[in-house]
Each structure stands twice: as structure tokens, then as C-alpha cells.
Short mmCIF file of all heavy atoms in Angstrom, two decimals:
data_model
loop_
_atom_site.label_atom_id
_atom_site.label_comp_id
_atom_site.label_asym_id
_atom_site.label_seq_id
_atom_site.Cartn_x
_atom_site.Cartn_y
_atom_site.Cartn_z
N SER A 1 10.93 20.77 11.54
CA SER A 1 10.03 21.87 11.88
C SER A 1 8.56 21.54 11.77
O SER A 1 7.74 22.35 12.22
CB SER A 1 10.33 23.13 10.92
OG SER A 1 10.16 22.69 9.57
N GLY A 2 8.20 20.44 11.11
CA GLY A 2 6.76 19.95 11.09
C GLY A 2 6.00 20.64 10.03
O GLY A 2 4.74 20.38 9.92
N ASP A 3 6.54 21.46 9.13
CA ASP A 3 5.79 22.18 8.12
C ASP A 3 5.92 21.69 6.67
O ASP A 3 5.41 22.21 5.72
CB ASP A 3 6.06 23.67 8.15
CG ASP A 3 7.55 24.02 7.85
OD1 ASP A 3 8.38 23.14 7.82
OD2 ASP A 3 7.76 25.16 7.71
N ARG A 4 6.87 20.61 6.48
CA ARG A 4 7.06 20.05 5.23
C ARG A 4 7.24 18.58 5.29
O ARG A 4 7.63 18.06 6.41
CB ARG A 4 8.27 20.68 4.61
CG ARG A 4 8.18 22.19 4.34
CD ARG A 4 9.43 22.74 3.53
NE ARG A 4 9.39 24.16 3.45
CZ ARG A 4 8.75 24.90 2.57
NH1 ARG A 4 8.00 24.25 1.64
NH2 ARG A 4 8.76 26.20 2.55
N ALA A 5 6.89 17.89 4.15
CA ALA A 5 7.10 16.45 4.19
C ALA A 5 7.28 16.00 2.72
O ALA A 5 6.93 16.80 1.83
CB ALA A 5 5.79 15.77 4.87
N ILE A 6 7.78 14.75 2.53
CA ILE A 6 7.94 14.28 1.17
C ILE A 6 7.73 12.80 1.23
O ILE A 6 7.96 12.15 2.18
CB ILE A 6 9.35 14.51 0.64
CG1 ILE A 6 9.54 14.11 -0.84
CG2 ILE A 6 10.45 13.83 1.52
CD1 ILE A 6 10.80 14.69 -1.41
N SER A 7 7.10 12.23 0.14
CA SER A 7 6.82 10.82 -0.02
C SER A 7 7.39 10.38 -1.33
O SER A 7 7.10 11.10 -2.38
CB SER A 7 5.33 10.58 0.07
OG SER A 7 5.02 9.21 -0.24
N ILE A 8 8.13 9.33 -1.40
CA ILE A 8 8.60 8.74 -2.64
C ILE A 8 8.32 7.22 -2.66
O ILE A 8 8.57 6.47 -1.80
CB ILE A 8 10.17 8.93 -2.78
CG1 ILE A 8 10.50 10.39 -2.68
CG2 ILE A 8 10.63 8.26 -4.11
CD1 ILE A 8 12.04 10.62 -2.55
N ILE A 9 7.60 6.84 -3.73
CA ILE A 9 7.21 5.40 -3.82
C ILE A 9 7.67 4.94 -5.24
O ILE A 9 7.25 5.56 -6.30
CB ILE A 9 5.76 5.15 -3.70
CG1 ILE A 9 5.26 5.83 -2.35
CG2 ILE A 9 5.49 3.64 -3.65
CD1 ILE A 9 3.67 5.66 -2.20
N ALA A 10 8.48 3.87 -5.29
CA ALA A 10 8.85 3.31 -6.55
C ALA A 10 7.96 2.09 -6.78
O ALA A 10 7.95 1.19 -5.97
CB ALA A 10 10.35 2.79 -6.53
N PHE A 11 7.20 2.10 -7.82
CA PHE A 11 6.27 0.99 -8.17
C PHE A 11 6.79 0.23 -9.41
O PHE A 11 7.15 0.74 -10.44
CB PHE A 11 5.00 1.57 -8.67
CG PHE A 11 4.07 2.22 -7.62
CD1 PHE A 11 4.00 3.67 -7.44
CD2 PHE A 11 3.46 1.47 -6.65
CE1 PHE A 11 3.23 4.27 -6.41
CE2 PHE A 11 2.65 2.01 -5.71
CZ PHE A 11 2.57 3.36 -5.54
N ILE A 12 6.69 -1.08 -9.25
CA ILE A 12 6.77 -1.99 -10.37
C ILE A 12 5.42 -2.71 -10.36
O ILE A 12 5.08 -3.48 -9.53
CB ILE A 12 7.89 -2.98 -10.25
CG1 ILE A 12 9.29 -2.33 -10.25
CG2 ILE A 12 7.81 -4.03 -11.38
CD1 ILE A 12 10.49 -3.26 -10.11
N GLY A 13 4.54 -2.33 -11.23
CA GLY A 13 3.15 -2.63 -11.20
C GLY A 13 2.56 -1.54 -10.31
O GLY A 13 2.46 -1.66 -9.17
N SER A 14 2.18 -0.42 -10.95
CA SER A 14 1.66 0.74 -10.23
C SER A 14 0.17 0.52 -9.75
O SER A 14 -0.75 0.70 -10.45
CB SER A 14 1.76 1.95 -11.19
OG SER A 14 1.50 3.19 -10.48
N VAL A 15 0.13 0.07 -8.49
CA VAL A 15 -1.16 -0.44 -8.00
C VAL A 15 -2.30 0.55 -8.05
O VAL A 15 -3.48 0.20 -8.08
CB VAL A 15 -0.96 -1.03 -6.46
CG1 VAL A 15 -0.14 -2.24 -6.58
CG2 VAL A 15 -0.55 -0.04 -5.63
N PHE A 16 -1.99 1.87 -7.91
CA PHE A 16 -3.05 2.83 -7.85
C PHE A 16 -3.24 3.47 -9.32
O PHE A 16 -3.96 4.46 -9.50
CB PHE A 16 -2.76 3.99 -6.94
CG PHE A 16 -2.66 3.47 -5.55
CD1 PHE A 16 -1.65 3.64 -4.69
CD2 PHE A 16 -3.75 2.67 -4.96
CE1 PHE A 16 -1.57 3.13 -3.42
CE2 PHE A 16 -3.70 2.23 -3.67
CZ PHE A 16 -2.58 2.45 -2.89
N SER A 17 -2.62 2.92 -10.36
CA SER A 17 -2.68 3.47 -11.73
C SER A 17 -3.93 2.81 -12.37
O SER A 17 -4.07 1.64 -12.59
CB SER A 17 -1.43 3.16 -12.43
OG SER A 17 -1.64 3.38 -13.87
N PRO A 18 -4.85 3.75 -12.89
CA PRO A 18 -5.93 3.12 -13.70
C PRO A 18 -5.45 2.42 -14.99
O PRO A 18 -6.07 1.51 -15.44
CB PRO A 18 -6.74 4.36 -14.11
CG PRO A 18 -5.81 5.48 -13.93
CD PRO A 18 -4.86 5.22 -12.91
N TRP A 19 -4.32 2.92 -15.51
CA TRP A 19 -3.77 2.29 -16.73
C TRP A 19 -3.31 0.85 -16.42
O TRP A 19 -3.53 -0.04 -17.31
CB TRP A 19 -2.59 3.10 -17.32
CG TRP A 19 -2.83 4.55 -17.42
CD1 TRP A 19 -2.48 5.53 -16.49
CD2 TRP A 19 -3.61 5.22 -18.49
NE1 TRP A 19 -2.98 6.76 -17.00
CE2 TRP A 19 -3.63 6.60 -18.13
CE3 TRP A 19 -4.24 4.77 -19.59
CZ2 TRP A 19 -4.34 7.47 -18.88
CZ3 TRP A 19 -4.91 5.68 -20.44
CH2 TRP A 19 -4.90 6.98 -20.09
N TYR A 20 -2.75 0.57 -15.39
CA TYR A 20 -2.38 -0.82 -14.96
C TYR A 20 -3.72 -1.68 -14.74
O TYR A 20 -3.77 -2.82 -15.15
CB TYR A 20 -1.63 -0.74 -13.67
CG TYR A 20 -1.00 -2.08 -13.20
CD1 TYR A 20 -0.53 -2.95 -14.11
CD2 TYR A 20 -0.84 -2.33 -11.81
CE1 TYR A 20 0.09 -4.12 -13.70
CE2 TYR A 20 -0.25 -3.47 -11.42
CZ TYR A 20 0.21 -4.36 -12.34
OH TYR A 20 0.73 -5.64 -11.81
N ARG A 21 -4.69 -1.05 -14.15
CA ARG A 21 -5.95 -1.80 -13.98
C ARG A 21 -6.62 -2.03 -15.33
O ARG A 21 -7.04 -3.19 -15.52
CB ARG A 21 -6.90 -0.93 -13.09
CG ARG A 21 -8.29 -1.41 -13.01
CD ARG A 21 -8.39 -2.85 -12.33
NE ARG A 21 -9.82 -3.25 -12.20
CZ ARG A 21 -10.08 -4.56 -11.84
NH1 ARG A 21 -9.14 -5.40 -11.57
NH2 ARG A 21 -11.31 -4.89 -11.79
N TRP A 22 -6.69 -1.03 -16.19
CA TRP A 22 -7.35 -1.27 -17.54
C TRP A 22 -6.49 -2.32 -18.34
O TRP A 22 -7.01 -2.93 -19.25
CB TRP A 22 -7.28 0.05 -18.25
CG TRP A 22 -8.29 0.98 -17.60
CD1 TRP A 22 -9.49 0.66 -16.87
CD2 TRP A 22 -8.38 2.41 -17.65
NE1 TRP A 22 -10.15 1.75 -16.46
CE2 TRP A 22 -9.47 2.85 -16.89
CE3 TRP A 22 -7.53 3.41 -18.28
CZ2 TRP A 22 -9.72 4.28 -16.79
CZ3 TRP A 22 -7.65 4.74 -18.03
CH2 TRP A 22 -8.84 5.10 -17.37
N SER A 23 -5.15 -2.48 -18.07
CA SER A 23 -4.37 -3.43 -18.75
C SER A 23 -4.66 -4.87 -18.34
O SER A 23 -4.08 -5.83 -18.97
CB SER A 23 -2.87 -3.13 -18.66
OG SER A 23 -2.36 -3.43 -17.34
N GLY A 24 -5.32 -4.99 -17.29
CA GLY A 24 -5.58 -6.35 -16.76
C GLY A 24 -4.54 -6.72 -15.66
O GLY A 24 -4.58 -7.90 -15.25
N ARG A 25 -3.62 -5.86 -15.38
CA ARG A 25 -2.58 -6.16 -14.42
C ARG A 25 -1.72 -7.41 -14.64
O ARG A 25 -1.23 -8.04 -13.77
CB ARG A 25 -3.07 -6.27 -12.95
CG ARG A 25 -3.63 -4.96 -12.40
CD ARG A 25 -3.81 -5.07 -10.83
NE ARG A 25 -4.13 -3.86 -10.24
CZ ARG A 25 -5.38 -3.51 -9.91
NH1 ARG A 25 -6.31 -4.42 -9.93
NH2 ARG A 25 -5.57 -2.34 -9.24
N ARG A 26 -1.49 -7.64 -16.01
CA ARG A 26 -0.78 -8.86 -16.38
C ARG A 26 0.62 -8.67 -16.55
O ARG A 26 1.38 -9.67 -16.60
CB ARG A 26 -1.41 -9.41 -17.64
CG ARG A 26 -2.79 -10.02 -17.55
CD ARG A 26 -3.28 -10.67 -18.88
NE ARG A 26 -3.44 -9.60 -19.83
CZ ARG A 26 -4.48 -8.92 -20.11
NH1 ARG A 26 -5.54 -9.08 -19.35
NH2 ARG A 26 -4.56 -7.94 -20.97
N ASP A 27 1.05 -7.41 -16.61
CA ASP A 27 2.47 -7.09 -16.98
C ASP A 27 2.93 -5.96 -16.11
O ASP A 27 3.07 -4.88 -16.58
CB ASP A 27 2.55 -6.76 -18.43
CG ASP A 27 4.01 -6.68 -18.96
OD1 ASP A 27 4.93 -6.83 -18.14
OD2 ASP A 27 4.22 -6.42 -20.14
#
């Protein structure tokens, strides 16, 4: 119908997470 949508992304290493960035992206 064009009025709804869904997005699902499974991250190992959550590239848009500030916590991952602040951790140095080592793990």
C-alpha cells in the first residue's frame, strides 16, 4: 500500500554506535 515500511539490521560491531566508537572499535 506504500504507507508502511520496516528496516532490520543485525550488527556485529555496531558501526553507528557512539559506544563502539568510544571503545576504539577493537572488539
Side-chain angles (χ1 to χ4, degrees):
S1 59
D3 61 348
R4 297 186 189 276
I6 189 167
S7 170
I8 303 169
I9 308 175
F11 288 103
I12 299 178
S14 188
V15 294
F16 299 124
S17 166
W19 310 102
Y20 187 37
R21 172 62 177 169
W22 290 332
S23 75
R25 291 197 173 105
R26 291 182 295 271
D27 189 357

